Amino acid sequence: MINPPASFRWLRRVVLLVLAVFTLTPVAVMLSSSLKPLRDVQGPWRWIPSELTFRPYVDIWKTVPLAKYFTNSLIVAGSATALSVLIALLAGYAVSRYRFRGKKVFTITVLSTQMFPGILFLLPLFLIFVNIGNSTGIALYGSRSGLILTYLTFSLPFSIWMLAGYLDSIPRDLDEAAAVDGCGPIRTLVQIIVPAALPGIIAVAVYAFMTAWGEVLFASVMTNDQTRTLAVGLQGYATQTDVYWNQVMAASLVVSLPVVAGFLLLQRYLVAGLTAGAVK
Amino acid sequence: MIDRPTAGQEAAPQGAAPARRRLREKFGRGALPYLLLLPALLAELLIHLVPMVTGIVMAFKQLTQFFIRDWSAAPWSGFDNFEVALEFNAPVGKALLHSFWVTCAFTVLSVGLSWLIGVTASIFTQDAFRGRGLLRAAFMLPYALPVFAAVITWSFMFQRDTGLINHVLHDQLHLTSDKPFWLIGDNSFWALLTVSVWKSWPFAFLTLTAGLQNIPRELYEAAALDGAGVWQQIRRITLPSLRPVNLVLVLVLFLWTFNDFNTPFVLFGKSAPQAADLISIHIYQSSFITWNFGQGSAMSVLLLLFLLLVTAVYLFATNRRRGEAE
């Protein structure tokens, strides 16, 4: 904007302040409550804790097997991310650089799966996994590999679409120069395209990891005591009689840290990826 | 957006050598693109196509808890499941219809508000000012936080006796005569909406901010030279430039919000209150609590048909409008 008058600047300040309060309040609640003793979170809300304590951060690991859930989430989200980036990179490269029969059908099919409700896949996948387990003994239901497979559902279509878009923005001269130097298509992909597309790849990886880390529906149906992820495990802080809100908040903070830190570090890539991939 | 033309596809061949190379690419390596696509195709087949076909078949079966071990043994039921779902005078259909309207109202409000806040925030942070980077990072936090951690915090804030919301509304501002319940009863709709908007507007903000970066500054300078005020610059330059971004953004927000399961599930648990009974939760409950999978599948198929219809109409309408504008 050029030459905004003072009234506009004031309006801007007020609106942005209100939005910041709206956005940050839950984060503040999370942080402050995680430092309160139990009696403070079980009575009426208080802004100032009666005493500052780090107890909840110690207790969260004992009340529920948080470390196990953490490991499960890391394995599941990490594997789903790696797989989804790899598969999407190959597919995106094909869509961006080659003309072939069925390309349009492929892209439209991939895109339209984005719109399908997760609940539509939940019931059949549940039954298919149970049936595979019964007939072959391969335990997909309740296992981490089943969940990893499922999480591809969410990240793959978007990843393919975004990477194809990002690769389109990389000049074709690079490919041609590599071809002149005698690079085959796979070497071109690995040595030329991947480094040039790194921001897009990072953006897709961040997206895939976040979706898998935060997913609740499949995690709540498809896991058992051993394979439970954080998304479901966090509910364990509510006992029959009480909810240990201070521990819930401490645990929420701890499990958010890796994703939030990763996101804030890599957000400029995400914005760059969105600009090139989705916003054209 | 869907039909993204490949750059260079339209480019006329320059000189003979590149043309020959292109020919070779086209015929000599015909199998390569398919090989590259193979993993994606297999994955799509395994996790999308097979379950979808299975789901559609299930909708025509009388699939109750007795047949979970072997669902193919369940007897066929024709269109029974659909008839029950669409019998709006009977309990099942009535509840489904109610849930559908709740979801529609919720989606329209949530998408509308998220978009409005996202546009406002992205325009207001378009110019550089001190602390802008920090503010932008803060605005993206709800998007970065895992859904379950964020929503569980909201549910703590909405607790009747121990929550922050009632403390502020009742104890501090004296706006309510009594401490209302937020997670049961009619208020639950507004609680859900608040959380949903809080969670989705940052995505709109992120996308629109990216879109704003493509607008050349010279446009604003030229407009200002011609005497356009700030509001005119927004109306004449910013908003029209954002149109292509908006078309995709609104559709994506609509689909995500309409299908949202995570937010109500973490906020309310397995069964949501009537006023906030979103369709995903409703289907989940019909399937996993009453163990009638056939019925749940039929409802999923109906939901899918509805979403396909809305998307088709939307894409058709926006494409035509874009065509008229050109």
Side-chain angles (χ1 to χ4, degrees), chain A residues 1-5 8 11-12 15-16 19-20 22-27 29-30 33 41-45 47 87 90-91 93-101 103-104 106 108 110-111 113-117 119-128 130-131 134 149 152-153 156-157 160-161 164-165 168 172 176 179-180 185-186 207 210 213-217 220-221 230-231 234-235 245 248-249 252 255-256 259-260 263-264 267 270-271 274-275 277-280, chain B residues 1-7 9 21-22 32-34 36-37 39-41 43-44 46-48 50-52 54-55 58 63 68-71 117 120-121 123-127 129 135 137-149 152-157 159 161-164 167-168 172 194 198 201 206-207 210-211 213-214 217 220-221 224 230-231 233-234 245 248 255-256 259 261-262 265-266 280 283-284 287-288 293 296-297 300-301 303-304 307-308 311:
Chain A
M1 245 59 62
I2 311 286
N3 306 329
F8 177 83
L11 178 72
R12 184 162 73 181
V15 170
L16 291 179
L19 278 180
F22 177 50
T23 312
L24 292 177
T25 302
V27 184
V29 168
M30 208 189 262
S33 307
V41 290
Q42 282 182 338
W45 171 263
W47 293 102
I87 298 177
L90 295 177
Y93 182 57
V95 169
S96 163
R97 291 308 202 245
Y98 291 94
R99 307 175 66 167
F100 54 90
R101 199 183 287 269
K103 178 161 147 177
K104 207 168 172 179
F106 175 78
I108 289 179
V110 164
L111 253 191
T113 52
Q114 266 283 94
M115 70 193 295
F116 295 164
I119 197 86
L120 180 77
F121 298 111
L122 177 70
L123 313 178
L125 273 174
F126 172 73
L127 287 188
I128 291 172
V130 168
N131 280 344
N134 284 339
L149 208 62
L152 279 179
T153 322
L156 201 54
I160 294 176
W161 183 47
D168 277 349
R172 231 144 273 260
E176 309 218 330
V180 169
I186 297 302
Y207 174 81
M210 279 173 39
W213 192 263
E215 203 281 332
V216 180
L217 172 61
S220 71
V221 175
L230 290 169
L234 219 60
Q235 278 150 19
W245 281 116
V248 177
M249 294 299 109
S252 301
V255 307
S256 301
V259 250
V260 172
F263 179 84
L264 291 181
Q267 49 139 317
L270 197 74
V271 175
L274 277 172
T275 321
V279 183
K280 279 194 2 169
Chain B
M1 288 307 297
I2 293 176
D3 186 12
R4 182 167 4 76
T6 313
Q9 210 163 278
R21 194 158 54 233
R22 242 171 236 132
L32 188 69
Y34 296 106
L36 292 169
L37 282 184
L41 283 174
E44 289 285 324
L46 205 66
I47 55 186
H48 280 135
V50 172
M52 207 166 72
T54 314
M58 276 163 62
L63 192 57
I68 284 179
R69 283 187 65 84
D70 183 13
W71 65 276
I117 299 178
T120 312
I123 289 177
F124 281 1
T125 51
Q126 193 182 10
D127 294 334
F129 54 82
L135 199 64
F139 283 171
M140 289 175 195
L141 265 182
Y143 180 69
L145 282 169
V147 179
F148 58 92
I152 221 167
T153 308
W154 275 102
S155 97
F156 176 45
M157 291 163 62
Q159 293 294 309
D161 295 318
T162 58
L164 163 77
H167 179 71
V168 171
Q172 296 195 312
T194 309
W198 178 86
W201 81 263
L206 201 69
T207 317
Q213 285 170 0
N214 291 341
R217 195 164 169 78
Y220 291 110
E221 279 164 6
V230 167
W231 298 112
Q233 291 174 34
I234 292 175
V245 184
V248 186
L255 291 171
W256 282 352
N259 292 329
F261 175 87
N262 295 340
F265 187 74
V266 180
S280 300
I283 296 176
Y284 176 89
S287 318
F288 281 93
F293 276 60
S297 298
S300 305
V301 171
L303 171 63
L304 179 64
L307 292 175
L308 279 173
T311 308

Side-chain angles (χ1 to χ4, degrees), chain B:
Chain B
M1 288 307 297
I2 293 176
D3 186 12
R4 182 167 4 76
T6 313
Q9 210 163 278
E10 299 95 340
Q14 305 148 339
R20 214 177 313 143
R21 194 158 54 233
R22 242 171 236 132
L23 269 178
R24 205 171 54 214
E25 253 172 36
K26 205 169 160 189
F27 297 106
R29 298 183 189 147
L32 188 69
Y34 296 106
L35 277 177
L36 292 169
L37 282 184
L38 194 66
L41 283 174
L42 278 178
E44 289 285 324
L45 195 73
L46 205 66
I47 55 186
H48 280 135
L49 232 58
V50 172
M52 207 166 72
V53 173
T54 314
I56 293 170
V57 172
M58 276 163 62
F60 293 95
K61 290 205 158 210
Q62 199 181 320
L63 192 57
T64 52
Q65 73 263 44
F66 307 110
F67 300 103
I68 284 179
R69 283 187 65 84
D70 183 13
W71 65 276
S72 55
W76 292 97
S77 63
F79 284 92
D80 281 5
N81 288 326
F82 291 93
E83 273 168 27
V84 170
L86 294 173
E87 180 77 61
F88 296 138
N89 294 319
V92 173
K94 201 172 173 179
L96 182 67
L97 188 67
H98 170 80
S99 165
F100 174 75
W101 287 125
V102 167
T103 314
C104 285
F106 166 76
T107 307
V108 168
L109 284 173
S110 174
V111 172
L113 285 170
S114 301
W115 178 82
L116 196 68
I117 299 178
V119 164
T120 312
S122 61
I123 289 177
F124 281 1
T125 51
Q126 193 182 10
D127 294 334
F129 54 82
R130 208 145 47 104
R132 182 179 70 158
L134 222 70
L135 199 64
R136 270 190 180 164
F139 283 171
M140 289 175 195
L141 265 182
Y143 180 69
L145 282 169
V147 179
F148 58 92
V151 177
I152 221 167
T153 308
W154 275 102
S155 97
F156 176 45
M157 291 163 62
F158 277 123
Q159 293 294 309
R160 180 175 182 266
D161 295 318
T162 58
L164 163 77
I165 308 271
N166 272 350
H167 179 71
V168 171
L169 288 183
H170 181 72
D171 301 346
Q172 296 195 312
L173 298 176
H174 306 290
L175 287 174
T176 51
S177 55
D178 194 14
K179 288 188 172 182
F181 283 103
W182 288 103
L183 300 180
I184 50 176
D186 288 347
N187 287 334
S188 55
F189 181 84
W190 303 109
L192 184 65
L193 183 67
T194 309
V195 181
S196 172
V197 170
W198 178 86
K199 203 167 63 63
S200 1
W201 81 263
F203 180 75
F205 171 72
L206 201 69
T207 317
L208 291 165
T209 298
L212 286 181
Q213 285 170 0
N214 291 341
I215 305 177
R217 195 164 169 78
E218 294 81 62
L219 276 182
Y220 291 110
E221 279 164 6
L225 269 183
D226 288 345
V230 167
W231 298 112
Q232 266 184 318
Q233 291 174 34
I234 292 175
R235 212 161 56 88
R236 297 279 164 80
I237 301 172
T238 314
L239 292 179
S241 310
L242 287 179
R243 179 165 292 168
V245 184
N246 277 331
L247 293 180
V248 186
L249 176 66
V250 167
L251 182 64
V252 169
L253 279 179
F254 164 78
L255 291 171
W256 282 352
T257 313
F258 207 94
N259 292 329
D260 191 14
F261 175 87
N262 295 340
T263 317
F265 187 74
V266 180
L267 203 57
F268 305 121
K270 284 189 166 82
S271 50
Q274 274 265 308
D277 191 24
L278 294 195
I279 204 116
S280 300
I281 284 275
H282 188 82
I283 296 176
Y284 176 89
Q285 210 194 353
S286 315
S287 318
F288 281 93
I289 293 182
T290 60
W291 292 103
N292 192 339
F293 276 60
Q295 191 64 61
S297 298
M299 290 179 183
S300 305
V301 171
L302 288 173
L303 171 63
L304 179 64
L305 287 177
F306 172 75
L307 292 175
L308 279 173
L309 184 77
V310 172
T311 308
V313 168
Y314 181 83
L315 288 178
F316 180 74
T318 51
N319 267 336
R320 211 175 54 169
R321 213 188 313 151
R322 214 176 336 177
E324 277 167 10
E326 271 161 15

